[in-house]
Structure formats: structure tokens, C-alpha cells
Amino acid sequence: MSQQKSDYADDADIDAELDQLPDDEVVEATVENLEASGFDVVVVDTADEALETLQSHIPAGVSVMNGHSTTLEEIGFDDYLSEGDHEWESLPDQIWSIDDDAERQAARRDSQTADYFLGGINAIAQTGELVAADLSGSRIGAYPFAASNVVIVSGVNKIVPTLDDALDRLESVAYPLENERAKEAYGVESMIAKQLIFRQEVEEGRTTVVLIREQLGY
């Protein structure tokens, strides 16, 4: 079920101070610290450039899976994965074509080991850490180890000064927005059930962070 942030954002009470566009100096410092933490970083100016980056970054013939990400929807990646002219194996299309609930759940678990797993993040500390959470874990389960390659796409509005601020942003910006989305999409409330602090990537070249100089996602 595709949704735009505008479908539910007006109903969420968020801390707007933790959802601002930072200046160039902050972005540059964040990139430097992310790279020092083992992440490859690409900075682009627009959502269109972000989609072009993903199209060129992912090689032909690989399996591709995406966790739910408003940012990926906003830049057009979800539609491109399902309908676009590419030579990837689209695991979401395979998963959602399965009628049996148990088989579909097993396929979702298997998809965590995709060649390329793409998703979002809820906060980025300027000091070089990434913070995300999920109810089931399907959105973030591949990040630590399972997927061969991880690509995390984020608006620079998710950059905050410290890890403590990143955890605060998860609670006071990302969760209220996700909760409203869940109520719109599924008729139930969400929760921060499984949380990830991604401090360091120890496998060179495995995890790429694409930062977009726009206010995207939550």
C-alpha cells in the first residue's frame, strides 16, 4: 500500500527541531564521521539524483529487496523496482505473489539475505552512528549482517548532533509519524519493538549511505 507522508503527517505530533535541514558544514562533518565508521557515503542534491544513483550502483543480475521506507517511495525507487526497466531480480514482487501466508513469511525471511537490501533509517548522528527501529524487524534485519550489500537512503533532515539526539529523534519524530502511517495503512498502532544502533561497518564496501539534500522520510 503506497502512501505519501502528507497522507498522515498532519496528525502526528513531532519535535520539529529534530527534523531540520542542516547546513553544509554539518553535512560535511557527518559524511566524514560516517566514512570513518566504515560506511561508503554518496551525497546528492535531489530525489531524482538519488534514484539515478541507485540505478547505477546496483549491478545487473542481482537479487534486490527493500524494507519499507517512505524515502524510497518518495524518490520513486519502489515503483522502479516493481515496474522499471532493470535487470535485477525483484524479491518483493516474488514475495507478494505468494498466496500462502506461511510460505510468504518464509520468503520474507529468506529475502533478508538478498544481494542488495535497500531501506531507510530514522536518525543519523553527526558523530557517525545510524539509528533505526521497526515493529517486526523486517525493515532492519538485513542491515547488521544478513544481506551481502546494504544501501541506506536518507534525507539530510535526519542528521542530528549526537547519538542521544538520534535516539530522541527516533522517539519524537520517526515513531509518531510511523504510528500514524500504521493506523492509516493497517488500522493498528505501531511500536518501537526492535531497535538498531549501527555504529560501525567492518566489511569494506558493504554498506552505502545515500544522503539527499532534501527533507524526506521520517
Side-chain angles (χ1 to χ4, degrees):
M1 178 179 181
S2 178
Q3 287 181 300
Q4 296 297 314
K5 188 177 178 181
S6 58
D7 293 337
Y8 50 86
D10 289 345
D11 297 321
D13 182 15
I14 69 169
D15 183 350
E17 292 186 2
L18 295 174
D19 194 38
Q20 302 294 318
L21 293 177
D23 61 28
D24 290 344
E25 183 177 346
V26 169
V27 173
E28 290 171 5
T30 304
V31 170
E32 182 178 341
N33 288 327
L34 286 170
E35 290 177 340
S37 296
F39 303 105
D40 292 344
V41 184
V42 178
V43 182
V44 298
D45 290 329
T46 68
D48 287 343
E49 290 178 15
L51 180 58
E52 291 170 2
T53 297
L54 299 182
Q55 291 167 339
S56 62
H57 181 77
I58 303 171
V62 300
S63 61
V64 177
M65 181 63 186
N66 61 307
H68 174 263
S69 164
T70 297
T71 304
L72 288 180
E73 287 193 18
E74 289 172 330
I75 70 171
F77 180 79
D78 288 2
D79 288 341
Y80 181 77
L81 179 59
S82 180
E83 304 168 5
D85 182 15
H86 58 73
E87 297 180 23
W88 309 327
E89 179 186 3
S90 175
L91 297 184
D93 289 335
Q94 295 178 16
I95 289 168
W96 297 113
S97 69
I98 299 172
D99 292 330
D100 182 82
D101 289 344
E103 290 182 11
R104 186 169 59 252
Q105 186 72 341
R108 291 180 70 195
R109 284 199 164 91
D110 289 343
S111 73
Q112 299 293 299
T113 63
D115 295 325
Y116 278 78
F117 192 100
L118 288 85
I121 208 79
N122 297 129
I124 302 171
Q126 186 177 330
T127 46
E129 300 90 1
L130 308 173
V131 171
D134 195 14
L135 192 156
S136 69
S138 63
R139 190 174 74 93
I140 59 174
Y143 290 2
F145 179 76
S148 297
N149 297 275
V150 175
V151 184
I152 294 169
V153 184
S154 174
V156 296
N157 54 300
K158 299 182 185 180
I159 296 174
V160 293
T162 69
L163 178 57
D164 284 343
D165 293 319
L167 294 169
D168 189 12
R169 190 185 191 283
L170 172 61
E171 299 273 357
S172 62
V173 178
Y175 171 71
L177 288 165
E178 169 60 17
N179 192 46
E180 292 300 327
R181 186 197 74 84
K183 289 190 290 187
E184 287 280 342
Y186 313 121
V188 297
E189 294 194 349
S190 186
M191 67 173 69
I192 300 174
K194 299 173 184 180
Q195 181 173 310
L196 172 69
I197 300 176
F198 203 162
R199 297 175 183 266
Q200 186 86 21
E201 176 53 81
V202 297
E203 185 176 341
E204 184 177 354
R206 175 179 178 267
T207 299
T208 299
V209 180
V210 179
L211 292 177
I212 310 165
R213 294 182 185 274
E214 291 186 3
Q215 192 154 19
L216 296 166
Y218 52 85

